């Protein structure tokens, strides 16, 4: 069976990819349909949670700032309202929000489909690690989603809600813009937290080496700080809070790349001894 897959033509691979996308899309639709029945909880508790000054993140940073004796980060008011300006806005919002929830919750299955697609190109012992791959990749993705929701989103909402160029201007955010901020933040963070997995495969393909990652570490740090500055309010504390996990992910990626290279060298030496 494995041999047949290795001898598949380019068109056969495209056909496999097409069915991968079809099955993944079908899974997303199924989960999105289930999410529809929980739409009240999704909107009222999850999506509108960060607009409440008593949200867990605001409370945590308030207590933390008091404990360490720095200027209080307590949020007492978020002066903005959310409005819908399109006739079909709320219907469209409901559909796409359910689809987004479907993508997030169906992500482990999508990873499984991806693994089946690439597994013929891997060694036999690597193909046996499917469960480990799915578990670690899903865990990193969900940690990234939670990081985006509990860190990036509250910081962004707090900044934009309290920022004003004039007292004559009231913040009345469009619902599409508000939900779009949340969706972009959580999905982007979820995918970014997949960096160690991406580095693993790039190293396997010979496109990245540990030396390359170490040599360009300084540039990576600059890029991470720029990203942190873009997605957070313009204060040093917020940028550091976001930058630290991203830098840790980069260091983990270097370690994973080193392990992959060492294993490849061992496999090559073992093959030479057998020959």
């Amino acid at each position: 069976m494995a041999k047949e897959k290795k001898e598949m033509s380019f068109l056969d691979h495209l056909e496999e990819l097409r069915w991968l996308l079809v099955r993944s899309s079908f899974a997303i639709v199924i989960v999105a349909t289930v999410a529809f029945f929980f739409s009240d909880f999704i909107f009222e508790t999850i999506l509108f949670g960060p607009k409440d000054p008593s949200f867990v993140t605001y409370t945590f940073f308030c207590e933390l700032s008091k404990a360490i004796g720095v200027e209080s980060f307590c949020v007492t008011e978020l002066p903005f309202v959310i409005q819908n300006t399109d006739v079909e806005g709320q219907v469209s919002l409901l559909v796409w929000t359910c689809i987004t929830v479907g993508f997030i919750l169906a992500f482990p299955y999508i990873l499984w489909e991806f693994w089946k697609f690439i597994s013929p190109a891997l060694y036999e012992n690597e193909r046996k690690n499917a469960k480990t791959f799915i578990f670690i990749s899903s865990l990193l993705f969900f940690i990234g989603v939670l990081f985006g929701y509990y860190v990036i989103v509250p910081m962004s909402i707090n900044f934009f809600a309290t920022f004003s160029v004039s007292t004559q201007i009231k913040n009345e955010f469009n619902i599409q813009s508000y939900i779009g901020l949340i969706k972009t933040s959580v999905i982007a963070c979820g995918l970014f937290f997949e960096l160690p997995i991406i580095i693993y495969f790039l190293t396997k393909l010979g496109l990245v080496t540990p030396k390359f990652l170490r040599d360009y570490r300084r540039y990576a740090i600059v890029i991470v700080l720029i990203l942190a500055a873009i997605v957070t309010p313009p204060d040093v504390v917020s940028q550091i809070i976001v930058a630290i996990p991203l830098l840790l992910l980069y260091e983990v990626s270097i370690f994973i790349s080193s392990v992959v290279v060492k294993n490849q060298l061992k496999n090559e030496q073992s093959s030479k001894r057998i020959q």
Side-chain angles (χ1 to χ4, degrees):
M1 186 70 178
K3 186 176 180 180
E4 292 177 359
K5 287 187 176 181
K6 289 180 182 178
E7 295 176 353
M8 290 171 60
S9 66
F10 177 72
L11 292 178
D12 290 333
H13 282 295
L14 285 180
E15 182 67 13
E16 283 288 322
L17 179 61
R18 184 176 74 88
W19 280 107
L20 180 157
L21 296 175
V22 169
R23 290 190 295 269
S24 298
S25 299
F26 189 63
I28 292 173
V29 171
I30 291 176
V31 180
T33 303
V34 175
F36 172 80
F37 295 99
F38 297 90
S39 58
D40 288 342
F41 173 78
I42 291 172
F43 278 92
E44 297 299 329
T45 303
I46 298 178
L47 296 179
F48 293 144
K51 69 182 292 292
D52 187 346
S54 63
F55 188 63
V56 60
T57 303
Y58 304 134
T59 303
F60 173 78
F61 282 114
C62 178
E63 296 299 326
L64 181 63
S65 64
K66 290 179 179 178
I68 60 179
V70 299
E71 185 179 351
S72 176
F73 284 91
C74 297
V75 176
T76 57
E77 183 183 10
L78 293 173
F80 73 95
V81 296
I82 300 176
Q83 61 179 346
N84 173 53
T85 58
D86 298 326
V87 174
E88 75 287 356
Q90 295 198 49
V91 175
S92 175
L93 179 69
L94 175 62
V95 172
W96 283 107
T97 298
C98 289
I99 291 175
T100 302
V101 173
F103 171 78
I104 292 173
L105 297 183
F107 192 75
Y109 176 79
I110 297 172
L111 286 174
W112 172 251
E113 288 289 343
F114 173 74
W115 179 266
K116 289 195 298 183
F117 180 73
I118 65 171
S119 60
L122 302 175
Y123 292 108
E124 181 63 29
N125 62 323
E126 293 173 329
R127 287 198 289 269
K128 295 178 181 178
N129 295 328
K131 291 182 180 179
T132 303
F133 167 77
I134 301 300
F135 175 76
I136 295 177
S137 299
S138 300
L139 180 63
L140 287 173
F141 177 76
F142 289 128
I143 290 175
V145 167
L146 292 175
F147 180 77
Y149 178 73
Y150 283 106
V151 179
I152 303 296
V153 170
M155 286 182 175
S156 300
I157 290 177
N158 180 41
F159 172 72
F160 290 118
T162 56
F163 180 81
S164 176
V165 296
S166 172
T167 56
Q168 303 297 317
I169 303 175
K170 295 182 179 179
N171 285 326
E172 298 181 353
F173 300 149
N174 184 283
I175 183 62
Q176 302 287 354
S177 176
Y178 175 83
I179 300 298
L181 171 68
I182 297 177
K183 290 194 295 186
T184 301
S185 298
V186 299
I187 292 179
C189 286
L191 295 177
F192 191 87
F193 270 58
E194 293 293 305
L195 180 63
I197 304 299
I198 295 172
I199 293 298
Y200 171 83
F201 285 106
L202 290 178
T203 305
K204 291 285 295 181
L205 295 172
L207 300 177
V208 169
T209 64
K211 184 179 183 304
F212 173 85
L213 295 174
R214 293 191 187 99
D215 290 343
Y216 285 87
R217 180 188 276 118
R218 67 184 67 180
Y219 301 105
I221 293 174
V222 172
I223 293 173
V224 165
L225 292 176
I226 292 174
L227 288 174
I230 292 174
V231 301
T232 60
D235 67 85
V236 177
V237 175
S238 299
Q239 292 170 11
I240 292 175
I241 291 173
V242 173
I244 289 176
L246 302 184
L247 292 174
L248 288 175
L249 280 173
Y250 188 82
E251 294 301 321
V252 171
S253 299
I254 294 177
F255 173 76
I256 290 175
S257 182
S258 300
V259 172
V260 171
V261 170
K262 288 179 181 178
N263 289 337
Q264 287 177 335
L265 291 175
K266 287 181 180 179
N267 291 331
E268 291 176 1
Q269 290 174 357
S270 299
S271 300
K272 290 180 181 179
R273 289 173 184 175
I274 294 174
Q275 293 175 356

